[in-house]
Amino acid sequence: MKKYVYFFGAGKAEGTGEMKELLGGKGAGLAEMTHIGLPVPAGFTITTEACDYFFKHGRKLPRELSAEVAANLKRLERVTGKKLGDAEDPLLVSVRSGSARSMPGMMETILNLGLNAGSVAALARKTKNERFAWDAYRRFVQMYSTVVIGLAKEELEAKLRALKARLGVKDDTQVTAEGWRGLVAEYKAHFRRKTGKEFPEGPQEQLWDAIGAVFESWMAEKAVTYRRVEKITGLLGTAVSVVQMVFGNLGENSGTGVCFTRDPSTGEKHFYGDFLINAQGEDVVAGIRTPMPLQEMARRMPKVYEQLEHARRLLETHYRDMQDMEFTVEEGKLYMLQTRVGKRTPAATFRIAADMVRERLISKEEALLRIKPEDIERLFYPVIDQSVARTELARRQLATGINAVPGAAVGKAVFTAHEAEDWAQRGEKVILVRRETSPEDVGGMFVAQGILTATGGKTSHAAVVARGWGKCCVVGCERLDIDYAQKLMRANGRVVRQGEWITLDGSEGSVYEGEVALVMPELPPVYHTLLGWADKIRRLGVHANADTAHDARKAREMGAEGIGLCRTEHMFFKDFEQPERSIERQLAIQEMIIADNREARRKALEKLLPFQRRDFVNLFKVMDGCPVIIRLIDPPLHEFVPHDREKQAELARKIGIDVEVVARRVEQLREANPMLGHRGCRLAITYPEILEMQVRAIIEAAIECKKQGVKVLPEVMHPLTLDRKELALLADATRRVADEIIKKSGIKLRYLVGTMIELPRAALLADQVAEVADFFSFGTNDLTQTVMGLSRDDAGRFLPDYVDEKKAGIFSADPFQSIDVEGVGLLIKWAIERGRATRPKLEIGICGEHAGDAASVKFCHQVGMDYVSPSPFRVPVARLAAAQAVIEERAAGKKRRQAKLKKH
Ligand code: PEP
Ligand code: MG
């Protein structure tokens, strides 16, 4: 039979610290602390499996649970020598939530359970403290009413405030026993009015209701949101720990506190915490009174402090990680109520990990496993200052969307890219707000502090471009009603006009009104040490996606070893090195597209050639000695031409043709489904002169660099290939142009020709495709789109429902962010196996957005890719994840070997 309840107390525990999945962090911590001899109040933990059962069976508890709880309650009463709800010597308990992953403050807890008219009197007698007993009771009635029944907390708080006003006192500690007794009566009357029932007196009823309410809180809005934001998936639910109450509010010899074994902000090794004399735990959390630092406690209660210091040392060496502990002192006796791995700032994460390696508490591998991708990401982006109150943020919140690129940004809202450029030129800080963005907007996007769009998902144009620059970006903010004509947006009942300040939080996907204070984190001194360890361990190479020399410099600074994707079309609209020439190159590309015959197209391409060649020269120079994979033109051409009449007229004038010709050509380019239309290498099949110009630019640039002593390793990549024959045509054309130039130059130059794998057909036929490709690079943005049949630009509208456990909960993560291992992953594995069967040395990488997602990087390692290529700012995450993949692989191998040995 399944065991749903685990007891701990009197120095023994049925559970252990290892059983976090089943007992939750709190239950496992209490069991483990009991084992290692720390003073822990007795109790029992109901497992997360019971919670899982509860939700799977229409909120019914497993039948056998009631007998198990009854038996454990008896045992608890025996150990403590008290009885729940007794009118002589009552046992009071807390009923606490706690899942395998810490979710601070997201779920519920009920304290002082077991109080009723009889037991409150007994408690007063026993403690000789009537005021204390009634204070405990009013707290219980309030918690029960709000947490179990769901009555509004504010209404009860208002009654407390009114009571204090009547008594003419400021602090809760000044309220008398009589005062609390009156408040309990008021609360109970309120309860009756609201529910039509009496407040429950029976301790059994109270207990079971509380257990149900704690389970219920697993699915409360805030808990679900927290799990989504923190990417916590795969847990069964919360456990419930029923623990004997100990009281920190029994007088000056009692108190309660929270402490960390090291400083959670800096990581420094000093005992850090807060202590409140004569208080219950919730008072510390609620911040009603100002607590004293632990050092003050050392002075006031030296003996207890010494015990606490002992617990600190014991727990840290036992768990080999920084612990966050809660404790209570009841009349001079210390009780440990909780220990868990402490949350810390990214800077502290690095420092603690490195310090613990030095102290020989953990190995380098363990240190690396402790760093989360977010810890690294948060080091490179400005963030909202922690001192800004949550309530302040809630007040300012305009809308939420998809958190496309982390970090935060403050600026004036501007609704067109052109104006954003003008404003920025004048020295203004702007946030570009668009329904969606297109390549035409890159200038405005580049100068903006942050980008906000009403539509789109994590691989939409705005997200991809912003990520490349490490620029804060929130997309898919469906609630925004953007009015371009009036230059304003409406959200949450408010209006933001052009020029008004807004703040974006790209880590959470929030938009706030006004200027919120930001801070730039400093790189921790040991950052390079830890990433150096990662580089030594990892097997995967880490390249970066970079379109310009500027991006490439950033990529190298972040540790990239090559360029895995240079999207040439991103160079068409802005000249990053000579901005004053941007218009000139825009015109050249537009003229090329508008041209309706080969000759005219060739002429326009001639103009574009020097620009592209200069781009590549600069890129190669920055990447001296590293491979550079350059992809030929990819997006549908209509993205590069103007759609409104005014701009068409302007273009016609500039290139000296009739506006009707421009309009007709733009109309011709219109497609019902451009993402599946005339794009990718299909453009080069139809217009081979584009391929010729781009290959020429690449090879001539490479030769020029080589002459200057730069080590160049160019790789020409064809996007969206369908099959062998198509790629063979393109590869032949590429080699013809390249070889002729090389031959003429008299310089020796090695280059590769390969393809992106972005379509299921190419992946399925990878063995044939590999016959004509030197390399594969998985374009998982398009591959996800085409395998799933979900538009990468539109799916943002409904995908949140797909990953929200409270809604459809169909996916555990956004497939455009983290590779869908089951579906898309299967195809990738197939393509790698088949590709390498044909060409064992086939170079294989990934350049879709997934390359910067830690879970996807681990997948890429497992399937044997050679490298991953994320945007420059995500390079450090990829370096870390690639190392973690090796460490985890070794650990899994060791486990398997051990299991095998055991079997024999
Ligand atoms: C991809 O599809 O994964 C890719 C890298 O190309 P793009 O995002 O430019 O379509
Ligand atoms: Mg693509």
Side-chain angles (χ1 to χ4, degrees):
M1 204 174 69
K2 198 165 238 159
K3 181 173 168 64
Y4 283 114
V5 184
Y6 288 74
F7 191 81
F8 54 90
K12 291 204 181 84
E14 293 177 337
T16 69
E18 308 269 280
M19 295 165 73
K20 263 191 177 172
E21 296 294 327
L22 197 61
L23 304 181
K26 189 169 287 149
L30 286 166
E32 194 66 17
M33 287 197 293
T34 306
H35 278 303
I36 62 176
L38 284 171
V40 175
F44 55 87
T45 301
I46 305 172
T47 65
T48 54
E49 284 178 349
C51 182
D52 186 43
Y53 183 102
F54 180 75
F55 286 108
K56 284 196 176 134
H57 294 81
R59 292 173 156 75
K60 270 211 203 68
L61 291 165
R63 200 139 35 92
E64 45 292 32
L65 188 63
S66 82
E68 269 195 77
V69 167
N72 278 278
L73 185 59
K74 267 224 172 75
R75 194 165 164 195
L76 180 59
E77 289 176 337
R78 226 178 16 253
V79 166
T80 57
K82 297 167 192 265
K83 265 190 85 165
L84 191 69
D86 193 38
E88 289 299 320
D89 190 5
L91 165 70
L92 303 186
V93 293
S94 60
V95 179
R96 295 168 183 269
S97 53
S99 69
R101 293 273 305 274
S102 136
M103 297 169 51
M106 296 300 137
M107 292 183 298
E108 302 297 353
T109 280
I110 294 150
L111 304 176
N112 304 341
L113 189 138
L115 279 172
N116 54 29
S119 59
V120 72
L123 185 66
R125 273 198 310 279
K126 272 264 158 201
T127 56
K128 299 193 188 61
N129 190 340
E130 188 159 11
R131 186 192 168 281
F132 157 75
W134 282 94
D135 181 13
Y137 198 14
R138 65 96 192 178
R139 289 175 195 256
F140 169 60
V141 177
Q142 168 163 348
M143 278 196 192
Y144 184 92
S145 303
T146 53
V147 174
V148 177
I149 307 296
L151 299 187
K153 193 169 176 184
E154 186 38 43
E155 290 180 19
L156 297 171
E157 295 275 338
K159 291 186 195 304
L160 170 60
R161 277 198 302 277
L163 167 72
K164 286 199 281 189
R166 275 202 309 278
L167 295 177
V169 300
K170 219 174 110 253
D171 291 335
D172 290 3
T173 47
Q174 295 166 291
V175 179
T176 56
E178 261 323 294
W180 291 135
R181 193 199 299 269
L183 190 66
V184 168
E186 271 190 69
Y187 278 179
K188 286 187 169 176
H190 180 76
F191 187 93
R192 201 178 308 118
R193 246 193 333 275
K194 289 279 175 184
T195 64
K197 285 193 276 195
E198 289 299 326
F199 188 84
E201 289 277 296
Q204 289 293 334
E205 182 184 353
Q206 293 176 353
L207 179 62
W208 284 105
D209 285 352
I211 292 170
V214 173
F215 279 156
E216 202 62 67
S217 70
W218 173 252
M219 279 297 179
E221 183 88 37
K222 59 180 175 180
V224 173
T225 307
Y226 185 85
R227 291 200 290 278
R228 179 164 49 75
V229 172
E230 293 285 312
K231 302 198 188 87
I232 300 177
T233 54
L235 299 187
L236 290 176
T238 179
V240 178
S241 290
V242 178
V243 191
Q244 177 196 5
M245 283 296 303
V246 285
F247 295 98
N249 52 344
L250 277 174
E252 293 303 301
N253 200 14
S254 302
T256 185
V258 176
C259 55
F260 295 83
T261 55
R262 298 182 192 218
D263 187 326
S265 317
T266 63
E268 238 174 295
K269 193 177 180 181
H270 84 95
F271 202 10
Y272 176 97
D274 286 336
F275 182 63
L276 260 182
I277 288 207
N278 196 11
Q280 270 201 320
E282 46 170 347
D283 302 336
V284 182
V285 183
I288 310 168
R289 283 162 52 197
T290 311
M292 59 176 73
L294 282 186
Q295 287 61 32
E296 175 69 11
M297 181 194 172
R299 217 177 47 75
R300 303 262 295 254
M301 297 183 175
K303 274 228 165 83
V304 184
Y305 179 80
E306 219 171 87
Q307 287 170 25
L308 190 64
E309 178 67 58
H310 167 73
R312 170 201 180 195
R313 279 193 304 271
L314 196 62
L315 286 172
E316 206 181 77
T317 29
H318 186 73
Y319 281 103
R320 301 183 311 126
D321 202 351
M322 187 265 266
Q323 297 292 297
D324 160 1
M325 295 127 56
E326 283 178 22
F327 62 95
T328 281
V329 181
E330 186 182 87
E331 301 194 307
K333 181 163 171 31
L334 174 75
Y335 288 97
M336 301 305 297
L337 301 184
Q338 175 167 316
T339 189
R340 62 181 171 199
V341 171
K343 293 222 182 273
R344 57 202 85 176
T345 62
T349 303
F350 277 88
R351 173 152 185 189
I352 293 173
D355 282 354
M356 286 191 168
V357 171
R358 214 166 14 88
E359 293 162 25
R360 295 184 188 280
L361 259 182
I362 59 173
S363 65
K364 285 180 182 167
E365 285 78 7
E366 281 172 297
L368 288 171
L369 286 180
R370 287 196 184 167
I371 302 194
K372 293 193 295 302
E374 303 79 52
D375 294 325
I376 294 200
E377 275 185 343
R378 286 180 194 148
L379 293 179
F380 294 98
Y381 303 102
V383 289
I384 288 184
D385 193 336
Q386 287 207 328
S387 66
V388 179
R390 284 255 142 209
T391 46
E392 168 76 5
L393 288 178
R395 195 178 57 73
R396 286 175 181 268
Q397 190 160 62
L398 286 170
T400 55
I402 297 172
N403 48 345
V405 185
V410 175
K412 292 180 175 173
V414 175
F415 296 92
T416 71
H418 282 301
E419 280 166 300
E421 286 190 85
D422 292 346
W423 286 48
Q425 191 115 52
R426 295 203 306 261
E428 302 270 16
K429 282 183 162 185
V430 298
I431 304 266
L432 179 64
V433 184
R434 301 284 299 161
R435 288 197 196 112
E436 75 276 305
T437 63
S438 73
E440 266 185 294
D441 296 330
V442 288
M445 294 169 78
F446 188 65
V447 297
Q449 306 294 312
I451 296 155
L452 170 63
T453 67
T455 63
K458 289 207 171 174
T459 58
S460 63
H461 176 265
V464 171
V465 173
R467 196 168 296 124
W469 296 326
K471 191 174 297 242
C472 165
C473 177
V474 177
V475 298
C477 225
E478 298 281 335
R479 288 276 166 81
L480 291 185
D481 173 13
I482 300 175
D483 185 336
Y484 287 141
Q486 293 198 59
K487 295 191 183 163
L488 56 82
M489 64 174 168
R490 295 184 192 84
N492 201 11
R494 282 171 265 183
V495 177
V496 176
R497 288 171 204 286
Q498 181 143 307
E500 289 178 355
W501 290 92
I502 56 170
T503 301
L504 303 184
D505 184 338
S507 309
E508 296 209 349
S510 293
V511 188
Y512 302 105
E513 203 172 32
E515 284 175 89
V516 180
L518 307 185
V519 287
M520 188 69 197
E522 268 178 42
L523 218 53
V526 290
Y527 165 82
H528 291 293
T529 315
L530 275 139
L531 271 114
W533 296 343
D535 291 341
K536 283 216 180 92
I537 290 175
R538 69 184 157 87
R539 198 175 66 215
L540 266 180
V542 179
H543 290 11
N545 295 355
D547 308 325
T548 62
H550 173 268
D551 295 351
R553 252 174 246 122
K554 188 83 221 168
R556 287 208 83 166
E557 199 185 296
M558 302 298 249
E561 300 151 326
I563 300 293
L565 170 66
C566 166
R567 292 176 165 102
T568 45
E569 69 274 5
H570 283 181
M571 301 168 164
F572 291 165
F573 266 79
K574 185 160 177 78
D575 196 315
F576 288 85
E577 305 288 317
Q578 296 178 17
E580 69 285 359
R581 299 192 67 189
S582 293
I583 302 278
E584 211 181 315
R585 60 164 67 195
Q586 272 174 35
L587 272 183
I589 178 85
Q590 289 176 326
E591 194 177 329
M592 184 274 285
I593 296 169
I594 296 301
D596 57 2
N597 63 67
R598 185 149 289 178
E599 247 343 276
R601 215 162 19 246
R602 270 194 203 286
K603 255 175 64 194
L605 284 165
E606 280 299 313
K607 293 184 195 167
L608 210 49
L609 176 69
F611 285 110
Q612 288 251 283
R613 194 168 43 219
R614 173 159 54 80
D615 292 334
F616 300 138
V617 166
N618 292 335
L619 196 59
F620 289 141
K621 282 188 179 163
V622 175
M623 297 310 293
D624 191 357
C626 304
V628 177
I629 303 180
I630 298 170
R631 176 181 79 182
L632 304 192
I633 188 168
D634 177 61
L637 297 182
H638 79 92
E639 284 192 12
F640 301 102
V641 287
H643 290 260
D644 62 83
R645 192 71 184 179
E646 210 178 301
K647 289 218 183 101
Q648 287 176 353
E650 194 184 323
L651 174 63
R653 208 176 50 249
K654 282 183 180 155
I655 59 178
I657 56 170
D658 191 62
V659 62
E660 290 310 322
V661 178
V662 175
R664 196 171 350 109
R665 184 77 182 120
V666 171
E667 188 50 36
Q668 275 172 0
L669 291 172
R670 186 192 295 278
E671 290 177 306
N673 207 341
M675 266 295 178
L676 301 178
H678 196 190
R679 62 170 286 218
C681 66
R682 249 73 70 215
L683 292 170
I685 293 281
T686 324
Y687 307 121
E689 53 280 9
I690 300 183
L691 176 149
E692 277 165 34
M693 182 280 285
Q694 290 201 297
V695 173
R696 174 171 291 279
I698 295 168
I699 299 299
E700 287 181 354
I703 288 171
E704 188 180 326
C705 287
K706 204 155 181 211
K707 280 184 185 160
Q708 293 175 27
V710 178
K711 192 164 176 217
V712 270
L713 304 162
E715 302 184 23
V716 180
M717 179 155 77
H718 295 280
L720 278 168
T721 309
L722 271 167
D723 72 359
R724 181 194 180 283
K725 187 147 187 204
E726 187 182 40
L727 184 63
L729 285 174
L730 298 166
D732 285 351
T734 304
R735 292 205 168 93
R736 210 169 35 245
V737 175
D739 293 345
E740 196 187 309
I741 300 170
I742 294 170
K743 199 164 156 206
K744 261 200 198 138
S745 76
I747 299 252
K748 251 196 168 154
L749 177 75
R750 221 178 83 80
Y751 66 93
L752 302 181
V753 182
T755 181
M756 293 185 72
I757 301 289
E758 301 180 272
L759 296 178
R761 189 166 200 278
L764 290 167
L765 303 179
D767 51 342
Q768 298 172 26
V769 176
E771 286 169 15
V772 287
D774 296 325
F775 64 88
F776 282 177
S777 174
F778 286 93
T780 42
N781 302 333
D782 275 309
L783 192 60
T784 301
Q785 166 167 264
T786 49
V787 169
M788 294 215 155
L790 297 177
S791 157
R792 59 194 270 193
D793 292 317
D794 304 310
R797 287 193 198 154
F798 53 85
L799 272 183
D801 283 7
Y802 266 63
V803 289
D804 189 335
E805 307 168 61
K806 268 200 117 171
K807 295 187 177 149
I810 292 168
F811 300 145
S812 58
D814 178 341
F816 287 103
Q817 184 188 354
S818 203
I819 285 181
D820 154 45
V821 170
E822 280 188 326
V824 177
L826 190 66
L827 204 56
I828 291 177
K829 265 196 237 160
W830 167 270
I832 293 176
E833 274 166 33
R834 306 284 287 184
R836 288 225 172 105
T838 302
R839 195 186 282 252
K841 292 225 163 108
L842 187 71
E843 172 191 286
I844 298 179
I846 174 177
C847 62
E849 294 305 300
H850 304 87
D853 167 70
S856 310
V857 170
K858 291 179 184 174
F859 168 80
C860 295
H861 167 91
Q862 285 155 12
V863 297
M865 287 194 194
D866 296 303
Y867 69 87
V868 294
S869 185
S871 55
F873 282 84
R874 299 173 91 189
V875 163
V877 168
R879 287 163 68 194
L880 172 80
Q884 290 177 339
V886 175
I887 300 167
E888 285 162 9
E889 190 177 69
R890 284 183 199 154
K894 198 167 155 194
K895 238 186 182 164
R896 266 198 311 275
R897 283 194 299 277
Q898 278 167 351
K900 230 180 178 172
L901 273 177
K902 235 181 178 174
K903 241 173 140 180
H904 288 303

